Amino acid sequence: MEAATAATAAMVWFRKGLRVHDNPALDAARRCGAGRLYPVFVLDPRYLRPDPAAASPGSARAGVARVRFLLESLGDLDARLRRLGSRLLLLRARDDVADAVCAALKDWNIGKLFFESDTEPYALARDKKVTDFAMASGIEVFTSVSHTLFDPAEIINKNGGRPPLTYQSFIAIAGEPPEPVMEEYYELPPVGDTGEYELLPVPTVEELGYGDISQEEIPPFRGGETEALRRMKESLQDKEWVAKFEKPKGDPSAFLKPATTVLSPYLKFGCLSSRYFYHCIQDVYRSVRNYSKPPVSLTGQLLWRDFFYTVSFGTPNFDQMKGNKICKQIPWSENEELFVAWRDGRTGYPWIDAIMIQLRKWGWMHHLARHSVACFLTRGDLLIHWEKGRDVFERLLIDSDWSINNGNWLWLSCSSFFYQYHRIYSPITFGKKYDPNGNYIRHFIPVLKDMPREYIYEPWTAPLSIQKKAKCIIGKDYPKPVVDHETASKECRKRMGEAYASSRLDANPSKGKPSNLPRRKKSYGDQDASNSSVAKLLKSSRAE
């Protein structure tokens, strides 16, 4: 009798995919005939363990804003599971998440394990360890692809075993994504006996031990599936806005009401299904006469996301310069003082500093703001390695996504995908054209709030009498510029040009590209593509 009962126990292991809607792993588990269902999430010390040496409160890999978003998402998932007669079983790993999952599989006599597949290197190693243990223990394992629109492995297989390296070729191969799981249900099998396991309530950020975070600003974006669906519904209600949406457009200085959906963190944690979002956008398109198309449309952004997931999955060392066959080998400078000034919002360029302060406080900023600071750090002004900037974004962004973050830094540093290194975002004029009064700067850098508008983007040019009147002495209350933009950008162009000239990839642009792709005309990724209409559309339309 005991053996028969054991076979009816199933576990759903949540990692991303923190939702009930369109969750194939959860749906398969409820259908599998199990009499008991254990929905599990394991707190990972790799991401959550406090690091007093970190540049801002949090762990070595996650700032407080992202940790808070995760905890809110877990609390919401638990509430939604409880409405279905279940609950979230929250465990804490001592060191290794895989070990904690394997122990629970054994101790709870689990017969079937369900989880959503993950393509990140860390996740692949973790999942292999759990799967190997389960198979050796006679536990059936079911995995589903549901974090992305498509299965990256299938796309690569269709492309002859190599990832497509342009958006156009990816689109040509991908086709239409599978439909989401739309069936609604109102109950789940009951949770089984958990024995002597310590089941945790969802902790608060304070309970994780990050020290005094009382001064940390609480971001305006709350985590969880409930908020994700509400935000999506609100965005899609304006059918005209959806139909006309074009990613390169939008105001990067808009912060009280951002110019985008801000659904990226909900997609990152899987609080919102990308397939369900895609499906709902298609419903809007069917109800209007004309609408924008990929790559700039809303669906185009979801396809960008899948494009980066596919390339990252099929490219060894995607998150590095060395050993990455699609990455230009550029001799980046090493200057810790300049890097820290950039990271901490102390470059002396208010537009750049306000963006980095918004990142630190909110864990989010507009995609064009991200472009500005990434360009400034790398090929625009400081010529510092994109991996350093990538690490800061990876830690602080609430939508930090391994594939997209690395892909965007490769792109914005002109290390891969996009090679027009001479196109540089001005740290002075770019923000000014959206926000001439500097309201964004005044909000995130209060010391500059009384600086007259004609000096707000270049406060070092204000006469001393003006600085005194504004109660902001440059060099004392706010830093002088760490570099002269005009001089620094010229030097960056020169050194980038020299790096390109000596690059093996530049000498042989087909190196590392899929051999079975058809010949194509030069497009946005090529050096002389600046006159291409495709280049103009794509130059700033990467996934946020």
Side-chain angles (χ1 to χ4, degrees):
M1 180 69 180
E2 186 176 336
T5 305
T8 66
M11 178 189 289
V12 178
W13 176 23
F14 289 93
R15 303 90 63 78
K16 297 174 185 173
L18 303 180
R19 65 180 184 273
V20 172
H21 78 276
D22 186 33
N23 190 326
L26 180 62
D27 189 59
R30 78 176 180 92
R31 293 170 175 273
C32 76
R36 293 171 291 141
L37 183 61
Y38 294 78
V40 170
F41 185 92
V42 182
L43 296 174
D44 189 347
R46 171 185 164 89
Y47 288 102
L48 299 176
R49 183 182 290 124
D51 182 6
S56 61
S59 72
R61 288 183 170 85
V64 166
R66 184 154 95 257
V67 173
R68 180 179 279 112
F69 194 95
L70 167 64
L71 298 179
E72 289 169 349
S73 300
L74 293 174
D76 186 67
L77 177 61
D78 180 49
R80 295 178 79 91
L81 289 172
R82 286 177 186 273
R83 288 201 287 272
L84 298 172
S86 185
R87 62 170 293 199
L88 186 64
L89 306 177
L90 193 64
L91 307 177
R92 187 193 299 271
R94 287 183 179 174
D95 292 301
D96 185 68
V97 167
D99 288 344
V101 174
C102 292
L105 289 172
K106 179 183 177 184
D107 294 341
W108 295 340
N109 292 316
I110 301 298
K112 296 178 180 181
L113 171 64
F114 300 82
F115 61 88
E116 177 183 75
S117 65
D118 194 333
T119 54
E120 295 183 20
Y122 168 69
L124 289 169
R126 175 199 64 201
D127 295 354
K128 183 179 186 305
K129 187 172 181 179
V130 171
T131 301
D132 287 350
F133 172 84
M135 301 296 274
S137 305
I139 300 168
E140 294 181 78
V141 177
F142 303 84
T143 60
S144 57
V145 175
S146 52
H147 189 63
T148 47
L149 297 174
F150 304 96
D151 182 345
E154 281 188 13
I155 300 286
I156 291 169
N157 186 52
K158 288 180 181 178
N159 196 48
R162 297 179 184 179
L165 295 182
T166 68
Y167 183 84
Q168 299 98 317
S169 56
F170 171 81
I171 295 295
I173 294 163
E176 282 295 311
E179 288 288 310
V181 176
M182 296 295 287
E183 183 184 347
E184 290 189 36
Y185 47 91
Y186 301 97
E187 65 176 351
L188 290 169
V191 176
D193 181 14
T194 56
E196 297 181 0
Y197 268 70
E198 180 189 4
L199 300 176
L200 306 171
V202 176
T204 64
V205 174
E206 290 76 10
E207 287 169 346
L208 291 175
Y210 295 135
D212 182 11
I213 57 170
S214 60
Q215 300 305 308
E216 293 296 310
E217 189 170 332
I218 295 179
F221 315 115
R222 183 173 180 80
E225 179 180 11
T226 300
E227 177 64 14
L229 294 173
R230 185 202 67 77
R231 184 175 283 272
M232 185 196 76
K233 183 179 179 182
E234 185 179 88
S235 296
L236 298 186
Q237 274 178 342
D238 188 344
K239 294 184 178 182
E240 184 180 359
W241 180 84
V242 174
K244 292 181 177 179
F245 181 92
E246 292 188 12
K247 184 61 177 277
K249 299 177 182 177
D251 182 356
S253 69
F255 61 95
L256 294 175
K257 189 179 188 305
T260 64
T261 63
V262 195
L263 286 170
S264 52
Y266 301 94
L267 291 165
K268 176 264 187 304
F269 282 102
C271 302
L272 176 64
S273 154
S274 60
R275 287 178 185 165
Y276 181 62
F277 187 24
Y278 186 96
H279 174 84
C280 292
I281 298 169
Q282 296 298 321
D283 281 347
V284 174
Y285 288 166
R286 281 189 282 270
S287 70
V288 297
R289 182 172 295 180
N290 297 305
Y291 53 89
S292 56
K293 302 293 193 295
V296 298
S297 63
L298 269 182
T299 53
Q301 305 318 302
L302 291 172
L303 292 166
W304 273 114
R305 179 175 180 267
D306 265 63
F307 167 66
F308 278 137
Y309 264 87
T310 302
V311 179
S312 67
F313 181 58
T315 305
N317 303 311
F318 183 71
D319 59 344
Q320 302 169 28
M321 180 176 78
K322 293 182 179 177
N324 181 349
K325 68 182 181 181
I326 70 169
C327 182
K328 296 276 190 187
Q329 303 299 299
I330 296 168
W332 301 104
S333 301
E334 289 188 24
N335 189 315
E336 189 65 15
E337 190 176 340
L338 288 179
F339 167 69
V340 169
W342 174 86
R343 181 195 69 195
D344 295 346
R346 301 285 295 168
T347 67
Y349 287 93
W351 172 245
I352 299 299
D353 294 343
I355 295 167
M356 295 305 293
I357 291 167
Q358 184 186 20
L359 169 63
R360 155 79 184 267
K361 288 178 176 292
W362 288 14
W364 184 89
M365 62 287 208
H366 188 274
H367 67 279
L368 291 178
R370 302 180 193 206
H371 295 185
S372 295
V373 295
C375 178
F376 186 89
L377 179 71
T378 58
R379 62 185 171 84
D381 289 78
L382 305 185
L383 207 74
I384 288 172
H385 206 312
W386 62 267
E387 290 178 19
K388 300 261 299 179
R390 181 274 319 279
D391 288 346
V392 173
F393 274 30
E394 186 172 289
R395 180 173 182 270
L396 294 179
L397 281 172
I398 56 175
D399 60 7
S400 173
D401 188 302
W402 186 84
S403 298
I404 299 169
N405 190 33
N406 280 291
N408 274 325
W409 276 96
L410 283 163
W411 188 305
L412 290 164
S413 65
C414 285
S415 293
S416 192
F417 305 115
F418 179 77
Y419 303 115
Q420 295 176 38
Y421 61 83
H422 54 279
R423 300 176 71 106
I424 290 172
Y425 290 86
S426 167
I428 300 164
T429 61
F430 184 72
K432 190 184 292 186
K433 71 179 180 179
Y434 295 98
D435 180 23
N437 192 51
N439 295 333
Y440 176 77
I441 290 168
R442 297 176 200 280
H443 179 85
F444 287 104
I445 312 178
V447 73
L448 290 171
K449 66 182 171 59
D450 296 324
M451 190 65 68
R453 62 179 283 164
E454 59 264 39
Y455 301 112
I456 189 71
Y457 284 88
E458 302 173 85
W460 63 91
T461 65
L464 185 58
S465 60
I466 299 290
Q467 295 180 31
K468 287 180 177 177
K469 189 175 180 182
K471 303 182 185 66
C472 182
I473 306 300
I474 304 307
K476 177 188 172 191
D477 302 307
Y478 181 74
K480 296 177 180 178
V482 291
V483 294
D484 175 74
H485 171 63
E486 191 171 336
T487 304
S489 60
K490 283 180 181 176
E491 179 64 18
C492 279
R493 285 190 186 98
K494 175 174 174 287
R495 290 179 61 180
M496 289 291 291
E498 290 169 353
Y500 269 42
S502 63
S503 168
R504 286 189 303 109
L505 282 174
D506 192 59
N508 182 8
S510 65
K511 181 81 170 175
K513 293 188 178 180
S515 58
N516 61 326
L517 282 180
R519 286 184 174 272
R520 61 181 179 88
K521 294 179 180 179
K522 291 179 184 289
S523 67
Y524 68 95
D526 299 299
Q527 281 295 298
D528 54 352
S530 57
N531 293 324
S532 162
S533 59
V534 175
K536 291 172 184 174
L537 279 174
L538 296 186
K539 67 185 177 69
S540 43
S541 62
R542 272 88 58 209
E544 184 173 324

